[in-house]
Every structure is written in C-alpha cells, then in structure tokens.
Amino acid sequence: MDLHQEHGQRAVFCGLTGIVWLHRKIQDAFFLVVGSRTCAHLIQSAAGVMIFAEPRFATAIIDERDLAGIADANEELDRVVTRLIERRPDIKLLFLVGSCPSEVIKLDLSRAAQRLSRHLAPVRVLNYSGSGIETTFTQGEDACLAALVPELPRSSSEAEPSLLIVGALADVVEDQFVRMFSAMGITDVRFLPARRAGAMPAVGRNTRYLLAQPFLADTARALDERGAHRLAAPFPLGAEGTTGWLQAAAEAFGVTDESFAAATAAGRARAQTALAAHRVSLTGKRVFFFPDSQLEVPLARFLARELGAELVEVGTPYLHRAHLAAEIEMLPAGTRVTEGQSLDDQMDRCRATRPDLTVCGLGLANPLEAEGLSTKWSIELLFTPVQGYEQAGDLAELFARPLRRRALLEV
Amino acid sequence: MQLTLWTYEGPPHIGAMRIATAMTGLHYVLHAPQGDTYADLLFTMIERRDARPPVTYTTFRAQDLGRDTAELFKTSVAAAYARFQPQAMIVGASCTAELIQDDPGGLAKALNLPIPVIPLELPAYQKKENWGASETFYRLVRALAGAPGPRPAREPGRHPLCNILGPTALGFRHRDDLIEIRRLLDTLGVDVNVVAPLGASPADLGRLKDADFNVVLYPETARSAAEYLKKSFGQPFTREVPLGVGATRRFVAEIAGLAGLDPAPLLEGPGSRLPWYSRSVDSTYLTGKRVFVFGDATHAIGIARMAARELGFTVVGLGTYSREFAREVRAEAAEHGIEALITDDYLDVEAAIRAAAPELVLGTQMERHVAKRLGIPCAVISAPIHVQDFPARYAPQMGFEGSNVLFDTLVHPLMMGLEEHLLGMFREDPEFHDGVGPSHLGGNALAVSAPQESEAADPAPAATAAILLDEDVVITAAPWAPEAEKELKKIPFFVRGKARSNTEKFARERRLPLITLETLYDAKAHYGR
C-alpha cells in the first residue's frame, strides 16, 4: 500500500447522516438532533422522500434566544423533548444527537441525557455527537453504537462464549448470517444494534465480536473496555471477504473445517456464479475512489481481487490500520491509498488519470459525468444490502451498472 | 428551540449559494464545518447541474478549532482565488462559523485581492434561505452596480431596455419562466439588458444601470435589489407577477406603460388557451371546487388568484411560509374571504388542510405528501421541490404558456368530470363505488377512503404518524345514528369529509344529542354549497 495523507477541503457528509439508516434499524428509537436549520436541512436532503414515511428523527433548532444563555437552552431542550415523547409514546430510546452548533456552544448533551432519562423513565435517553467537526458520515453510526455500549446488559463471565456482530446490517443480511452461523453450530449470535431498544445484546468477557463495518473504532474500544474480544477479520464484502469474516468466527468457536466448508459451500458457489456475470464488464477497468464512508478499502479489495479491476486511487476519510489490517494485506501491492482529502487536488488527479469508474458522492457525480467520466455514487453502498455471499452479485452489479449504462446509451 | 422535521427553507447561506451558482465568474468562500458540503448535491442532483457549485468551503474540524480557523479561512480564500480566478467573490459564514466569530469580511479584505470581495452577513439563527438569497443579491448589486446617479436619457429610436431580476439556481421553473418572459418582451419590442442573477457575471451587474426599468419576476429574491436600483438610478420596477392569464395581461400592460409602448399587439394576440379551455363545458364541473393553496408568497398569491378567477375554484385556504411577505398574502386571503395561514411549521399546514377539507391541494413537495396521506388530489406550485419538478420538458409557470401549463397542472389531479359523474350515478356499482378514487391515481385508491371513513376507528395512521397529527383537530361530536352514518357514505367521498364536519359542527352548535338523517339534511340545507 502506498499511503498518502492529504489536508484541505473535504466533500463529505457529517455524522448526522447516519440517522437516516440507524432509525430504520432500531425500530423504537428516535433521533433528535440538537442543532441549526442547516442540520435539519441536511437530514431532509439526505433522507429524501424517506422523511415522510415514518419520521423517527427531528431537529431541535437552536435559535437566537438559546444562544443568549445556555441555561435557557437546557430548559428549552427539556420542553422540546417532553413534548416529543408525549406525542410519540411508542418511543423507548431517545438519542440526543450533538451537532456542530451544539458542540461549539458547549451545550452539555450528556448531562441533558442523564437528566431527561430520570424525568422520562422508562424511556432511555442517550447522547452522541454526529457533528461535522468531529465525525465524517459513517462515524455517526460509530458514535451512536459507542454510546449504546455502556448501557448494554452485563453477561455472566462464566457463560459460554457468544458471538456479537457489530454494525448495522440490513435485516435480510442479519438473517442470512444467523442461518450460516447456526449451520456451523454457533447458535448464540447477537447483533449490535438490535432491532429494538429493549433487546440490545449483553456483553462481557465471554463476548467475541466481529465488526461488520470498518468504521467502528470507538465502538470497538468501548466493547474492549467491557471485556469483549475482537476477532480480526476482513469485512464481509464479496465472496472472499465473507469467507474470511466467517472463518474468523469459526476459528474462535472451534468449528471444524468440514463443518465450515459444509455451511459455506452453497453460498460460496452462488456468489461465484453471480460474480462471474459481472467480471466481464469490470475486469481491467480502472477505478478511482473519493473518500466517503471508510468502506473504500474493503470495496477496492473486492473489486481488484474478485472482479479484476485496477485501482487508480483509494481515498478514505480515515484509515484504521488495526481494523483494516486484513484488508490492507489483501490490497494489490502498491495501491495508492489517500487518507483525508484536498478536494480540488483530488479532482485534478482524477481528471488527469481519467479512470473508467469513479466512486464518489452525489455532489461530484454529475459534474464528473458531464466531463465524460463514469461514476458510481457512493451513498448507495450504505443503503443497499451488500454484505455476505447472497449480496456479492448485487454489490458487483452496483459498480457494473454505470458502465453498462454508458455503453447502452446512444445519445 | 423549535422542534422541526421538515423545513420549507434551508439556512440563509443556501440562499447565497443559489445566487452564486446562478451566476458566472463569481466564487463564494463559505466558512463552514466539514459536512456542510451536503448543499452541493441540491444543485448537482435536484437541479441536475453539470458542474459543482462555485463554492469553496473551509470544512474546519474539531482539531482546527484549537488552532487558527481564521488562518484556514484566509488560506481558503487565497487558494480559491488562485484556482478559479473569479471576477468577484462573496465570503461569509455558515451557522457554526457564525458562532466561532471569525470575521470573513475583514479576513478576506486583509488579503488585498485585486477583485471585489463582498462580505455577507447572514444571521443563520434568525433568517432563512429566501432572505439569504435576497440579501446576497442585494449586496452584490449594491457593490457592483456602480455609483448612484441619474441615467442618461434614452436615445431616440432605441428600443426600451429592461433588466430581468430574480431567477436563481434551484428556483421553481425559473429556467422556463425566463424563456417565456423574454418572448413576451421581445414581442412587445423591449430589449433585455441584463438577466440577473441567473447567467449574469459580476461585470454584467455593472451594466444594470443602463436599463430603463426592471422586471421583477420573483420578489422573494429580487425586490430588495430592485428597490435599491430604483433609489440609486431611478429605475422603476414591475409589481405584477405574471402567473395566470389575467396577471400576465396586467404584467404586459404594466411593462408597456413603463416602456411607453402599445400593449395591444400582445394583448390582442393569441394569448393562452386557458380561457377557452376553462369556458368549455368539460370544465363546468370545476366550478366551486374547494382548493387549498400554500407555498412561497409569490406563487401562493398568484395561483390562488388564477384558481379563483380563471378556473372558477373556491379558495378555502391560502398560506405561505414566507414571513417576509405575510402582509401581501393576508391581503390576498381577504379577497377570498378567508384568513391567511402564515407558518413554517408543516404540522400547522396539515391541520389547516384537514380543517378546510379541500378537494384539491396546491402546494410544495410537503403538501404533496400531506395530501397523499389524506387522499386528496394535489399539484405542486412552489418550492421546495424534488427532482421531478425540474423537468426536462418546457414547463414555465409564467406568461401565456405558463397559464397553459398551470391549467393542465391544476386540472389533471382532479377526477375527470365524467368519472365523477359515474361515481355519483353508480355509487353501489363494484367498479364505480366511491372507494375507488380517480382511476389515474392507481394505488392510492385505498388511501382515499380510509382517512375519512374511519378516522377515529383506524389506529394505524395514529400510531405511525402520531407526530404529524394535531390533537386539536380531533373534535368530540354527537354520535351518529346508524341510518345517518349510512346516508353519509352515499355522499361522494371527496365532499364527505366536509359534510361530516359541517354536520357535526351544526349538531354541536345546537347541542343535539344524536346526529340523525334529519340533522344531516338540516345541516346540508343550512350550509348549502
């Protein structure tokens, strides 16, 4: 790996964006951003039409009067939250989500959360920061899950080892993994976050955890502090990543090679079949990643090794060397990885190398398309089920589709 | 603090971005934290622009706060100037940078760049997007239009010359309105000097003063600048906004007056198809259709007026989220005999729509979703809007072609007259029973009957959308006798909600213990239609 670090203008989402998928995952949680009109506008823009479906997120917009005195802001927050909980009695878990404005005026949301937890029991109130000054895009999920960890029940230290999967996954993907682990004989499998606030997994010295996502640095640290052990693994993207990820659990739980092979054989075979269809369009294609989600390194590994793509540059907002050790190991030798961003310089490099496919955010995609570059907008990789064997083909399809479309269009 | 889910307007710096993105040769350096770049995608995705907005963000992070964010700002301005070589720059702070109190104007000035650098003060905790756009345009015009003074007299034989003010990036149908208005002016024999901000450069703003008068298309963005130009250069500006046939005719007459031309060729020309379409017998069923209008002030006022006078609808609700234009909207509402709704809280709008029980809602993207939930036909007439309201086809709102577009837009969501007739005649028929709704609304058919049929009994909407419901709307009423309830169901669903609430109000006012068949018809006779 040829690592570069870059500083300058960054075109990335802030951590508030994580609310868009987290609120779908934890079905009785509400996310209340304490911020400005900009924060509300951001979530509205990012959530698109989802905002009308079943809103379990909102913004308490700080106004001038709140800025005049912090004590007043606390009273205001209590008023807003109390009213919200009255209107939504189905809510069991409320996250107060910090933003840039609330961090800069040092509004103490952790004290507010404690205070409100007492007032609103049995509703639990937690807080984390999704501010842009502290978090980039998916780090919002990390901050949210890390806030949950101290709240998790303690599991008995004598209990049999249990497996914890960390990172929000689509329900369908969770269910597939449960079946696969079960076939190997690993039956006690839990997920963080759970689908409901009251069903969050217990954690303790018997907990072995697998990260399902590469952006969970703080959550992992919090789990380690509770005595849990991380199983080092690549991330379950593509057939190879999924196998490596499952293998890490299998080894930790003493699953025999035969049993592992039997449990995974069908999935591996299906993934290979599905991937073969896309290899034709992606082999030899030069791919450029702009930084976005920290998924870039595992995705680049998948594209290079399983689909034969060439990597021009792999940008990532942050590179966690330990969690990505297995991924870095598998990257083609000499792959240029850029941590951080200087947007205009990176766009210059992208234009100069004219990649076949550029993976980037929605603010850049159309401008680059208009310059004749094919793009894959990156947010979809967060909203679409892409992990595991059954989704390997879908994941490849996400990258193949823009190329196929470009070839199709005659005008 | 205000609990907000949906916002009609973004923060004021988004307004400034709409001006910067509309123009050429201008660059905006925005002191803002990492993450605020999300705003780019409004322009690249919703409006499908093919280039990044001309905005450089400082994207400071927590570690920068300990150091010198002011230095970061200066570096960003210098780098943006070096890279983009703009004719002028605007600089300002987003909401977070406003709190850290670096002074963008002072810092940029210290760089001594060889171009005008215009500082923007956009109070993010008081003001919103449209105000930000208006203020930015005003500041640009003030800074770049040149020293105030009298205009030289028009040379004999020269065509009258006007500026068109107001179109921006991310404006609802601004692209096509502009084409339509240019066509009108061309037919009248008025030349266009500068269109701004859309497509104008800073140098073009220096030529604004050459025009004889200004055409203000969108007062929300351009009225402050027009007032300034009037004061500084004596340029009068238009007050009429050409939404609908009548307003377009008045607009043409106003311009002809300002230009000293004869409006007759245009007013006696083919004009719009709307008047004939609206007079054709097929449109008779539109008479008195109850319509609720909400949007920015300009569109709400203009479209309420045309809905009432040109389509024969009854305006039962009129409101805006543009507080800056509340007075004008109140005056228009009074013309319709109703009270205006001035709010930026969509829960209030939803409650007002429920209470007014309209047959058609004309509003923004948000009203579209509210109407969908209530099973009421709806058309979008104002920002904020999604990507589908930046259409590929020609779709102005203004002028004669705009009136044609509006006729189609306002009528299409309604059931066709014949379809409505069939529903009345064959109410018990399995194919035309009143639960089916307009055939073209397809899958929405079930939603049409659900809210009105069993509002109280059906727990599903309350559980899933409790935050959206306003308890004040739920009223306790006398119980309905079974035969009255049954009779109520025979009333077409699109007026049933109104019939129910009128009857209940009638019963409540008379303290009737039970709503009987007689109560239903007494109330019908009392309220009439």
Side-chain angles (χ1 to χ4, degrees), chain A residues 177-254:
Chain A
F177 284 147
V178 166
R179 286 198 296 272
M180 197 124 16
F181 285 124
S182 169
M184 293 177 212
I186 307 174
T187 49
D188 190 358
V189 183
R190 310 287 180 81
F191 292 87
L192 180 69
R195 295 177 199 182
R196 305 204 77 86
M200 291 296 167
V203 65
R205 306 200 69 81
N206 64 323
T207 304
R208 308 284 176 274
Y209 70 91
L210 265 180
L211 294 180
Q213 302 281 16
F215 43 73
L216 297 172
D218 289 349
T219 307
R221 196 175 309 124
L223 285 167
D224 292 344
E225 280 168 15
R226 296 213 38 188
H229 297 284
R230 182 175 70 89
L231 305 176
F235 291 91
L237 296 167
E240 187 185 31
T242 303
T243 302
W245 188 77
L246 293 170
Q247 184 95 50
E251 281 168 13
F253 284 77

Side-chain angles (χ1 to χ4, degrees), chain A residues 275-346:
Chain A
L275 286 172
H278 297 293
R279 210 163 284 139
V280 190
S281 46
L282 285 162
T283 295
K285 292 294 186 293
R286 297 159 61 255
V287 185
F288 192 111
F289 281 87
F290 277 79
D292 189 53
S293 63
Q294 300 184 46
L295 280 165
E296 295 83 2
V297 170
L299 288 171
R301 176 266 301 160
F302 162 69
L303 280 174
R305 291 173 66 105
E306 299 192 45
L307 294 160
E310 286 176 35
L311 304 175
V312 179
E313 174 168 341
V314 182
T316 178
Y318 175 69
L319 186 69
H320 195 297
R321 312 272 191 300
H323 289 178
L324 286 169
E327 296 286 352
I328 293 169
E329 188 78 6
M330 286 193 278
L331 273 184
T335 300
R336 181 188 164 112
V337 176
T338 308
E339 187 181 15
Q341 185 173 31
S342 172
L343 176 62
D344 289 315
D345 295 329
Q346 195 164 35

Side-chain angles (χ1 to χ4, degrees), chain B residues 166-242:
Chain B
T168 65
L170 219 58
F172 177 60
R173 307 292 168 87
H174 288 195
R175 177 196 69 194
D176 295 344
D177 283 349
L178 183 57
I179 295 171
E180 191 62 21
I181 296 310
R182 274 179 171 280
R183 188 180 295 168
L184 283 183
L185 292 167
D186 192 46
T187 311
L188 269 176
V190 177
D191 288 346
V192 175
N193 179 44
V194 173
V195 176
L198 192 62
S201 67
D204 290 334
L205 297 189
R207 299 190 292 111
L208 282 170
K209 59 175 178 292
D210 300 341
D212 303 311
F213 62 95
N214 288 313
V215 174
V216 173
L217 291 189
Y218 309 102
E220 273 90 346
T221 30
R223 196 163 73 179
S224 315
E227 300 269 12
Y228 174 79
L229 291 169
K230 182 172 182 222
K231 201 175 73 190
S232 305
F233 304 108
Q235 291 169 331
F237 62 90
T238 57
R239 307 285 172 160
E240 193 70 52
V241 177

Side-chain angles (χ1 to χ4, degrees), chain B residues 360-382:
Chain B
L360 175 67
V361 172
L362 304 174
T364 71
Q365 198 52 49
M366 189 56 207
E367 282 68 48
R368 216 172 72 130
H369 287 274
V370 169
K372 196 169 170 188
R373 195 155 43 221
L374 299 177
I376 307 172
C378 178
V380 170
I381 51 116
S382 162

Side-chain angles (χ1 to χ4, degrees), chain A residues 334-411:
Chain A
T335 300
R336 181 188 164 112
V337 176
T338 308
E339 187 181 15
Q341 185 173 31
S342 172
L343 176 62
D344 289 315
D345 295 329
Q346 195 164 35
M347 287 187 80
D348 285 348
R349 291 199 298 277
C350 181
R351 288 174 180 129
T353 48
R354 294 205 66 82
D356 297 303
L357 186 65
T358 303
V359 185
C360 62
L362 287 175
L364 305 179
N366 271 339
L368 290 174
E369 289 280 350
E371 294 180 26
L373 296 173
S374 284
T375 62
K376 167 71 216 111
W377 49 283
S378 50
I379 309 166
E380 196 175 16
L381 299 159
L382 260 298
F383 293 167
T384 313
V386 292
Q387 293 85 0
Y389 292 128
E390 314 304 343
Q391 282 68 240
D394 302 343
L395 180 56
E397 160 74 11
L398 289 179
F399 294 102
R401 193 183 295 148
L403 298 174
R404 203 166 67 237
R405 182 166 185 78
R406 181 162 287 259
L408 263 174
L409 298 180
E410 291 180 3
V411 290

